[in-house]
Amino acid sequence: TALTVTFDNLKAVTSVTKDSKIIVDYSATLNTAAQIGLPGNPNEVYLEFSNNPNKDGDGETGRTPKDEVIVFTYELDVTKIDANQKDTKLKDAEFKLHNKENQWVVVDKDNKVKDWTSDESKASTLKSDDNGLFKVIGLDDGVYYLKETKAPEGYNKLTDAIKVTITKSTTADENNWTLTVDKGTVEGKIVKVENSTGSLLPSTGGRGAI
């Protein structure tokens, strides 16, 4: 997609002098066609100007070198496993994801982010498959929270949300981004979340008694 801003005759703008700075400020949002991870999504800009001093600017034009930045977006992969038998993958666990602004993610059929909502009931349910895996594609770097809404049959649902932090690379190697969690483990940029079996007894009898 190209965005073009054209000034037909800057000389006619009386407030513009040879020392003026003209700033074009715009914002854009990555859509579901965005490239996940490397090589990223390049965004470039250049100025094309007329070499003809006449009003119509006919004739040859010159162009500045392109100024380019690259926008990165990330994929969150989560695997649900048995707390005691780490190789056992658990299907049918259900989660919802929100960011630190308490906006809940809405994904499309390919698990790509398509929207955010303040209404948890309208958020997408992220369900682990036969390999215990679910994913969210197209996240910015930042802090997110995974809330388990349903545990696999025979397992206890997590009582607290899992804090997930995506940190972009601070080096020239853009593949050097990091993923950290406050619960569970991270292996090769995959979050592993455990569920335990057994009954959870309710608290009763006052302070200190269960």
Side-chain angles (χ1 to χ4, degrees):
T1 300
L3 171 66
T4 302
V5 179
T6 302
F7 298 95
D8 291 329
N9 187 13
L10 276 178
K11 292 182 295 182
V13 183
T14 57
S15 59
V16 175
T17 71
K18 64 181 180 65
D19 298 317
S20 297
K21 291 183 179 180
I22 299 173
I23 299 173
V24 178
D25 188 11
Y26 68 95
S27 62
T29 303
L30 294 179
N31 59 26
T32 55
Q35 175 70 43
I36 306 301
L38 294 175
N41 302 276
N43 182 27
E44 63 184 25
V45 63
Y46 62 86
L47 173 66
E48 186 172 10
F49 55 92
S50 170
N51 287 324
N52 189 327
N54 296 322
K55 176 182 176 182
D56 294 334
D58 296 328
E60 296 182 357
T61 59
R63 194 166 76 174
T64 62
K66 292 181 180 179
D67 183 17
E68 182 180 82
V69 295
I70 300 178
V71 179
F72 288 91
T73 187
Y74 304 93
E75 176 176 325
L76 175 63
D77 293 328
V78 181
T79 300
K80 196 70 170 169
I81 60 175
D82 186 290
N84 297 314
Q85 300 178 8
K86 310 294 186 183
D87 293 333
T88 300
K89 309 297 191 299
L90 304 178
K91 68 175 183 177
D92 296 334
E94 295 182 3
F95 284 82
K96 292 189 176 183
L97 178 76
H98 69 87
N99 58 23
K100 63 181 180 180
E101 286 79 29
N102 213 35
Q103 294 289 310
W104 299 83
V105 74
V106 179
V107 298
D108 64 13
K109 62 181 180 60
D110 298 317
N111 297 314
K112 292 184 176 181
V113 176
K114 68 175 183 179
D115 202 2
W116 295 88
T117 176
S118 58
D119 187 348
E120 181 180 351
S121 66
K122 296 180 180 179
S124 294
T125 297
L126 310 169
K127 188 174 182 179
S128 60
D129 60 17
D130 290 342
N131 295 314
L133 176 67
F134 66 89
K135 62 181 61 180
V136 179
I137 304 171
L139 293 172
D140 196 1
D141 60 292
V143 176
Y144 301 91
Y145 297 88
L146 271 172
K147 176 183 178 182
E148 187 170 39
T149 57
K150 180 182 177 182
E153 184 176 356
Y155 288 82
N156 299 316
K157 186 176 70 174
L158 300 181
T159 56
D160 298 313
I162 300 171
K163 181 180 179 182
V164 180
T165 304
I166 299 174
T167 306
K168 63 183 177 181
S169 175
T170 56
T171 69
D173 181 6
E174 292 296 345
N175 197 40
N176 195 30
W177 63 279
T178 59
L179 182 64
T180 57
V181 294
D182 66 343
K183 302 178 185 69
T185 57
V186 176
E187 295 183 12
K189 292 188 174 65
I190 297 177
V191 177
K192 292 192 173 182
V193 178
E194 300 177 356
N195 270 128
S196 300
T197 57
S199 298
L200 293 178
L201 298 178
S203 176
T204 184
R207 189 175 67 182
I210 296 181

